[in-house]
């Protein structure tokens, strides 16, 4: 990759060719390519490891690997470490995932921030707890991102039906079971 950038560049200097892509690291990379190519791999490996330890990089990299139930569970588990300002990067990486692959079943609240990235939610239960959970989803600001909602509740009564029908947060639903 580095050699391809250098060869396609209009500059004869490796440093100048790499600078638009690597900023401060361009000088070091050019020096290693020209003088110590045997050390380039170690340098890149050490820098990639440093960047891999960044929570944002980890969660976004998982999303870029594509839809997979295990990956989705890992992403949900890493969300508490994701700084809120970095959420758009994850949203962009998850954009290619089908809604069904971004699914949660049951206790959605155990994943702080997870509802923002979830597109399909399945709720089940009975009685007062079921109604409280349904009302919590219907009024949660991140529920606006849901496109699918499956409700297998018993005993939610008129209040539960009214919450589903009247919630502006659920306006983007395309499937309701």
């Amino acid at each position: 990759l580095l050699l391809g950038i250098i060869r396609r560049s209009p500059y004869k200097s490796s440093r100048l060719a790499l600078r638009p892509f690597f900023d401060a690291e361009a000088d070091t990379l050019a020096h290693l390519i020209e003088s110590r190519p045997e050390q380039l791999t170690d340098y890149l490996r050490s820098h990639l490891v440093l960047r891999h330890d960044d929570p944002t990089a980890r969660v976004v990299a998982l999303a870029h690997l594509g839809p997979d139930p295990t990956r989705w569970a890992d992403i949900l588990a890493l969300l508490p470490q994701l700084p809120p300002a970095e959420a758009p990067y994850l949203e962009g990486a998850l954009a290619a995932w089908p809604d069904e692959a971004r699914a949660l079943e049951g206790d959605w609240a155990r994943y702080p921030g997870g509802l923002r990235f979830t597109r399909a939610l399945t709720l089940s239960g009975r009685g007062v707890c079921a109604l409280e959970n349904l009302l919590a989803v219907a009024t949660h600001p991140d529920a606006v991102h849901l496109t699918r909602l499956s409700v297998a509740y018993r005993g939610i009564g008129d209040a539960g039906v009214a919450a589903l029908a009247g919630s502006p947060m659920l306006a983007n639903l395309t499937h309701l079971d």
Side-chain angles (χ1 to χ4, degrees):
L1 172 70
L2 297 173
L3 292 176
I5 291 171
I6 293 168
R7 287 183 187 136
R8 288 182 178 85
S9 170
Y11 301 107
K12 296 195 185 254
S13 162
S14 299
R15 285 176 175 76
L16 292 176
L18 294 172
R19 194 169 313 259
F21 301 96
F22 296 99
D23 242 5
E25 296 165 330
D27 292 340
T28 303
L29 289 170
H31 171 72
L32 290 171
I33 290 169
E34 294 167 1
S35 307
R36 301 197 172 144
E38 69 282 355
Q39 293 177 359
L40 181 61
T41 302
D42 290 334
Y43 176 81
L44 290 173
R45 187 176 295 126
S46 68
H47 278 70
L48 289 175
V49 169
L50 283 174
R51 291 197 176 115
H52 179 73
D53 288 341
D54 174 24
T56 301
R58 276 187 286 162
V59 72
V60 171
L62 283 170
H64 276 297
L65 290 173
D68 174 80
T70 303
R71 262 185 232 124
W72 178 241
D74 291 343
I75 289 168
L76 290 171
L78 288 169
L79 284 179
Q81 299 173 28
L82 184 71
E86 304 293 327
Y89 295 110
L90 179 56
E91 287 172 350
L94 288 170
W97 286 41
D99 289 350
E100 301 81 23
R102 296 168 67 175
L104 266 176
E105 292 186 27
D107 186 13
W108 57 275
R110 74 176 181 248
Y111 299 106
L115 199 55
R116 176 178 181 167
F117 303 99
T118 299
R119 297 298 176 260
L121 181 63
T122 301
L123 301 172
S124 60
R126 15 176 108 213
V128 175
C129 290
L131 178 58
E132 288 174 1
N133 198 16
L134 180 61
L135 291 173
V137 170
T139 58
H140 197 286
D142 287 337
V144 73
H145 301 288
L146 293 174
T147 59
R148 299 172 172 271
L149 180 62
S150 296
V151 181
Y153 281 148
R154 294 187 188 163
I156 60 170
D158 293 340
V161 174
L164 284 172
S167 172
M169 299 303 161
L170 300 176
N172 290 325
L173 290 180
T174 57
H175 294 84
L176 177 61
D177 300 322

